[in-house]
Each structure stands twice: as structure tokens, then as C-alpha cells.
Amino acid sequence: MRRKMVAGNWKMHGNLLENKPLLNAIVTNLNGLQEVSFLVCVPYLYLPSVQDTLRNTNIAWGAQNVSQYEKGPYTGEISALMLNDFECGYVIVGHSERRTLFGEDNRTVSEKYQAAQRAGITPILCVGETLEQREAGTTEQVIEEQIASVIKLAGIKSLANAIIAYEPLWAIGTGRTALPEQAQDIHSFIREGLAKQDANIAKDLTILYGGSVKSNNASELFDMPDIDGGLIGGASLIAADFVAICRALHQ
Ligand code: PGA
């Protein structure tokens, strides 16, 4: 069955002092809500304390990146097996900031996706186009290539244990959200494309929208038939906003 989800992406924000009250407020306010999966993806260093705080709650935790390698001489990298030590259920791969600022190409992202799955961790595969690509009319082609690269390496069936997040780059952190219809168009393009390869995989795949989702626009996005939730950056750092977005999906 297709699972609904709200995932927070803290990016490089937070500290031990501030994380605690943020998490406690989220736990308290989402307690008992079962129909939607809630998740926070935090900086690696905070995984142990987040694990302690969220264990036995209905909020899951995950990482924002993972090495494509299992172990070895890769200074500064973190493997999926290390994430297992902290019971991470999920990891974001291919976030546009990784792609554009840290040079991750489709091949690397696909390897990271596969490394996560090998360790039993669900990858959240981010896809999306730049403003230039949208204006040039290549949005669908870009997204198709991003997803095809993963399928080529890991196979279509791998999507049974993955989540896709559509995040147009022009909407991330800009305050400029895709219109619900614009987002829906791409979500249904993704689902229909996958359905040609495997109808059941496509039907059950959770596809999140991300890019300036706020408490005042979440409901209209989540009302769209192919939008199964959100990947939330800035608003995931403010307890009241994140909770409101989570509740908008839970309704
Ligand atoms: P934003 O970030 O909600 O701050 O736009 C979303 C993301 O980058 O995942």
C-alpha cells in the first residue's frame, strides 16, 4: 500500500541544545497519529541523541547522505553500515544540494541508493530540474534520466523499498513553491512512466513533494492525487510549522 509521509530535512542546522526541545515538541504534538509516517533527517553527529529521543515514538529518523562505499580508505565518509548502528530507517540520496554543490552525478547517486538498500535502509531519492531546465522544456527528460539511472543499477523492483521526492531546484529554500497542479503534473509523469515498467511498483510508490512547503500551502499540495507527502527543509526546524504540515497530511 502507498504510504503517506512527511520528512524533515534539517540540512546543516541544529545543535544539541536546540534539537531537544524541537524534537520533544514534535513528539508530543504528533503522538498517536498512525496513518502517516513521520521522519526527521538530521546531521550525522546528532543521530545518537536523536535515536535516544525518538526511540519508542511514532517519529522515525534518518540521515541526509551516505557513502556509496561499504568501508575502506574514504576519509570523511559515512557508510550505510554505520547508519545501521544508529537504526536509521531512511537516508536522503541525491538531494539537489549534493548534486549541485558537491558534484554528485546520477551514477554516484544511484550507487548511494544501492548502498543504502544493501544495508536495509530506505533511500529517499531526490529528483528535480533547475529553472533553466524548466524554461528550456527539459524537465521531464531530466527527471526521467535521474530515475532511469537508479533503475539501471538497482532494478525497477528496488523501488518497492524506496521513496522518491520531487524537488524542483527553483523552489528549494526560495519561498517559491510549485503550484499544486505543476507538482501534480510531474508526480503523475513519474508514476505513469514507472507504471509502464511495473504497474504495482508505481501504484504503491510514495512520491513526496519538496520545495518551500509551509504550513499555509501544505494542504493544497497534499490534496493532489499523486502527492503522497512532503520533504520539508526550512519549516522542519520550527516545531509548530512542522507539526502543522504533518497534521495537514494526516487529515
Ligand atoms: P525547503 O527545502 O523546504 O527549505 O525549500 C526542501 C529541501 O531542500 O528538501
Side-chain angles (χ1 to χ4, degrees):
M1 207 191 69
R2 206 191 299 175
R3 186 85 188 146
K4 290 180 178 249
M5 169 180 269
V6 177
N9 173 11
W10 287 9
K11 308 193 181 185
M12 200 172 73
H13 292 290
N15 58 55
L16 283 177
L17 205 67
E18 289 171 9
N19 297 349
K20 258 282 181 308
L22 171 60
L23 289 171
N24 287 341
I26 293 171
V27 167
T28 307
N29 286 289
L30 298 178
N31 185 27
L33 305 188
Q34 295 300 346
E35 278 109 80
V36 170
S37 298
F38 305 115
L39 165 69
V40 289
C41 293
V42 305
Y44 292 133
L45 280 173
Y46 300 133
L47 283 170
S49 68
V50 168
Q51 177 191 28
D52 274 351
T53 309
L54 296 183
R55 185 181 282 131
N56 301 324
T57 73
N58 59 334
I59 320 289
W61 59 94
Q64 302 169 11
N65 186 23
V66 66
S67 171
Q68 63 269 50
Y69 305 114
E70 231 167 59
K71 61 177 170 182
Y74 303 106
T75 302
E77 291 292 292
I78 302 282
S79 73
L81 293 175
M82 293 171 184
L83 297 183
N84 272 344
D85 272 346
F86 300 95
E87 300 173 290
C88 282
Y90 302 84
V91 62
I92 297 171
V93 297
H95 189 279
S96 63
E97 286 149 17
R98 301 293 326 164
R99 292 178 188 265
T100 57
L101 302 174
F102 299 95
E104 292 186 12
D105 58 13
N106 280 340
R107 171 81 200 178
T108 306
V109 171
S110 303
E111 289 172 356
K112 291 182 172 207
Y113 170 101
Q114 202 175 37
Q117 285 196 333
R118 250 192 253 119
I121 299 171
T122 302
I124 300 176
L125 171 69
C126 296
V127 299
E129 80 288 5
T130 63
L131 186 58
E132 296 72 47
Q133 288 163 336
R134 175 160 281 263
E135 284 172 349
T138 57
T139 298
E140 295 186 347
Q141 187 194 326
V142 167
I143 290 167
E144 206 163 22
E145 282 167 9
Q146 289 168 335
I147 296 176
S149 165
V150 165
I151 293 176
K152 188 169 161 220
L153 193 69
I156 180 80
K157 296 281 187 214
S158 74
L159 286 167
N161 298 308
I163 288 169
I164 288 184
Y166 168 56
E167 297 208 309
L169 271 71
W170 45 271
I172 294 177
T174 57
R176 192 179 154 188
T177 322
L179 295 172
E181 296 74 19
Q182 269 177 324
Q184 165 60 26
D185 277 353
I186 300 300
H187 282 233
S188 83
F189 167 76
I190 292 171
R191 203 181 301 283
E192 280 170 21
L194 293 172
K196 289 182 199 140
Q197 299 182 58
D198 191 314
N200 285 328
I201 292 278
K203 177 170 63 68
D204 289 341
L205 179 68
T206 297
I207 309 179
L208 308 179
Y209 168 79
S212 299
V213 178
K214 305 290 176 203
S215 50
N216 61 6
N217 60 23
S219 290
E220 52 182 23
L221 286 158
F222 297 161
D223 278 348
M224 293 290 137
D226 287 297
I227 299 182
D228 306 312
L231 180 55
I232 319 299
S236 73
L237 299 167
I238 303 160
D241 289 355
F242 188 65
V243 165
I245 293 168
C246 290
R247 286 189 171 274
L249 184 61
H250 194 269
Q251 276 169 8

